[in-house]
């Protein structure tokens, strides 16, 4: 499964967060699309409407396990998808902004 480092992500890269609702509400990357892994297949149409047609999809979770599963599923569907190595834990550790559900400062559960 192809992976990318958090440090390699640029502003404007498409980010898909597959963590559960409580994790998302506590803290996430601003601008990410949120579809929990537990609902992903049922909400696949929502993903296809939001995802860029010609750009890579960066899939993120807390540490990289769940996002690897979704990235593999997307790759099987023909989507250019990669797993974000280390997930939101590395995102926050590298000082990337984390916001809560209300747009204020967040934290990674």
């Amino acid at each position: 499964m192809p992976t990318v480092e958090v440090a390699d992500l640029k502003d404007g890269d498409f980010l898909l967060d597959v963590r559960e609702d409580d994790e998302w509400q506590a803290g996430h990357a601003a601008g990410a699309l949120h579809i929990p892994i537990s609902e992903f297949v049922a909400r696949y149409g929502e993903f296809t409407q939001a995802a860029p047609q010609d750009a890579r999809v960066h899939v993120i979770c807390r540490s990289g396990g769940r996002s690897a599963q979704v990235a593999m599923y997307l790759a099987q569907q023909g989507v250019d998808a990669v797993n974000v190595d280390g997930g939101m834990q590395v995102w926050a550790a590298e000082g990337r902004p984390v916001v809560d559900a209300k747009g204020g400062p967040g934290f990674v559960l």
Side-chain angles (χ1 to χ4, degrees):
M1 166 60 17
T3 62
V4 296
E5 302 292 325
V6 169
D8 295 331
L9 293 172
K10 299 170 188 63
D11 290 342
D13 282 346
F14 187 82
L15 192 63
L16 170 64
D17 190 323
V18 297
R19 296 174 303 143
E20 295 302 321
D21 287 335
D22 60 333
E23 295 172 288
W24 170 265
Q25 290 175 13
H28 58 272
L33 172 64
H34 177 234
I35 303 177
I37 189 172
S38 61
E39 302 172 12
F40 192 76
V41 173
R43 294 174 58 188
Y44 188 74
E46 184 179 332
F47 163 76
T48 59
Q49 288 182 341
Q53 298 300 312
D54 57 352
R56 175 168 279 176
V57 174
H58 302 84
V59 189
I60 197 166
C61 66
R62 183 174 187 264
S63 62
R66 292 172 285 179
S67 53
Q69 292 176 42
V70 173
M72 188 176 305
Y73 174 80
L74 290 172
Q76 291 169 349
Q77 309 308 310
V79 175
D80 180 11
V82 294
N83 185 34
V84 178
D85 192 37
M88 286 299 297
Q89 289 179 319
V90 172
W91 180 277
E94 290 192 5
R96 297 273 186 131
V98 178
V99 296
D100 66 13
K102 296 179 181 173
F107 63 95
V108 178
L109 270 183

